[in-house]
Amino acid sequence: MPTFTKDSPVYIYYPIFKWGVYGLLAINVVLFFLHETFIEGLETLAWVALLLLFEWETSQLDKPYTNKWEKYSIHIGRFIAYAVILYSAYEYATPEYRAENGPLDMYNSLTWLGIVALLEYDVYANGLYGRVEWHIRNTIKVILYAALFVYAGMWAYEGGILDFYDATLWIICFFAIELNIFKFEETLPYSGEEMGKDKPVS
């Protein structure tokens, strides 16, 4: 299990890894706008915005918001991103879309929504959960991420190289978010009695 002490290799190389994959994801957004539909490019951009908001939040889970503008900006950005993402999920679930493209996009979208729902809980209830709850939450995450790997493999099998690359890159990027959370959780006793970051700002 990785540790984040200042002299550990994980602590030293993790930021390089993290921002490297985020950079690849930025290139991926451009590829989607060039080679896929505008809506798919817009959805990808919304997911990138949500990812960066999670990066901002999870990289400082032990700190409060600096002011109300930071808090409201994050909430507004998250609201806009989720609006686009949920609309896309709805489109993937329509009978017309599934008849033309199959149900895989719908399954992928719903699985990601499950993951970000758990991440929202990680952000806003950090340090408030006990050990059993921690195990349950992370077991569900493992199942959801495993499903995403299956979807990526199915896209690769069907010859969707860009879809496979995109799916794999997103999984790696969200692993970076999970590592941010793990870094914070290393400091917690998981007793359910210790509190993490109290997010409200007066």
Side-chain angles (χ1 to χ4, degrees), residues 64-103:
Y65 292 121
T66 56
N67 54 60
K68 65 180 181 180
W69 300 111
E70 178 191 3
K71 176 182 177 180
Y72 294 143
S73 296
I74 289 173
H75 290 340
I76 291 171
R78 184 177 270 112
F79 175 81
I80 295 172
Y82 275 124
V84 175
I85 290 166
L86 289 172
Y87 176 77
S88 298
Y90 167 77
E91 286 293 316
Y92 293 146
T94 59
E96 296 80 9
Y97 186 93
R98 287 185 285 120
E100 183 177 351
N101 301 282

Side-chain angles (χ1 to χ4, degrees), residues 172-199:
I172 294 172
C173 286
F174 271 86
F175 276 175
I177 301 298
E178 298 288 356
L179 282 174
N180 285 345
I181 295 169
F182 175 76
K183 181 180 178 181
F184 169 73
E185 288 179 339
E186 277 196 320
T187 66
L188 300 179
Y190 300 106
S191 64
E193 299 173 357
E194 297 285 338
M195 294 186 65
K197 178 173 65 171
D198 185 11
K199 296 295 291 184

Side-chain angles (χ1 to χ4, degrees), residues 36 104 151-165:
E36 303 294 335
L104 191 55
Y151 305 152
M154 293 174 69
W155 274 312
Y157 178 77
E158 294 173 357
I161 301 302
L162 180 58
D163 287 331
F164 169 74
Y165 169 76

Side-chain angles (χ1 to χ4, degrees), residues 52-175:
L52 293 178
L53 289 171
F54 273 126
E55 168 61 31
W56 180 263
E57 294 266 61
T58 60
S59 64
Q60 47 185 348
L61 282 170
D62 57 339
K63 302 174 184 176
Y65 292 121
T66 56
N67 54 60
K68 65 180 181 180
W69 300 111
E70 178 191 3
K71 176 182 177 180
Y72 294 143
S73 296
I74 289 173
H75 290 340
I76 291 171
R78 184 177 270 112
F79 175 81
I80 295 172
Y82 275 124
V84 175
I85 290 166
L86 289 172
Y87 176 77
S88 298
Y90 167 77
E91 286 293 316
Y92 293 146
T94 59
E96 296 80 9
Y97 186 93
R98 287 185 285 120
E100 183 177 351
N101 301 282
L104 191 55
D105 286 332
M106 179 186 70
Y107 296 149
N108 182 68
S109 180
L110 293 175
T111 302
W112 274 114
L113 287 174
I115 288 174
V116 296
L118 291 171
L119 287 174
E120 292 287 357
Y121 181 80
D122 289 334
V123 169
Y124 290 102
N126 61 82
L128 301 179
Y129 34 76
R131 174 66 70 176
V132 173
E133 185 178 349
W134 183 88
H135 280 295
I136 292 172
R137 193 180 87 254
N138 283 287
T139 298
I140 296 172
K141 281 186 181 181
V142 168
I143 294 170
L144 293 175
Y145 279 114
L148 293 176
F149 276 114
V150 172
Y151 305 152
M154 293 174 69
W155 274 312
Y157 178 77
E158 294 173 357
I161 301 302
L162 180 58
D163 287 331
F164 169 74
Y165 169 76
D166 178 68
T168 304
L169 189 59
W170 275 108
I171 294 170
I172 294 172
C173 286
F174 271 86
F175 276 175

Side-chain angles (χ1 to χ4, degrees), residues 1-15 17-18 175-187:
M1 183 175 291
T3 58
F4 285 89
T5 56
K6 289 188 176 181
D7 57 346
S8 71
V10 174
Y11 185 91
I12 296 170
Y13 295 110
Y14 169 60
F17 158 77
K18 179 171 64 176
F175 276 175
I177 301 298
E178 298 288 356
L179 282 174
N180 285 345
I181 295 169
F182 175 76
K183 181 180 178 181
F184 169 73
E185 288 179 339
E186 277 196 320
T187 66

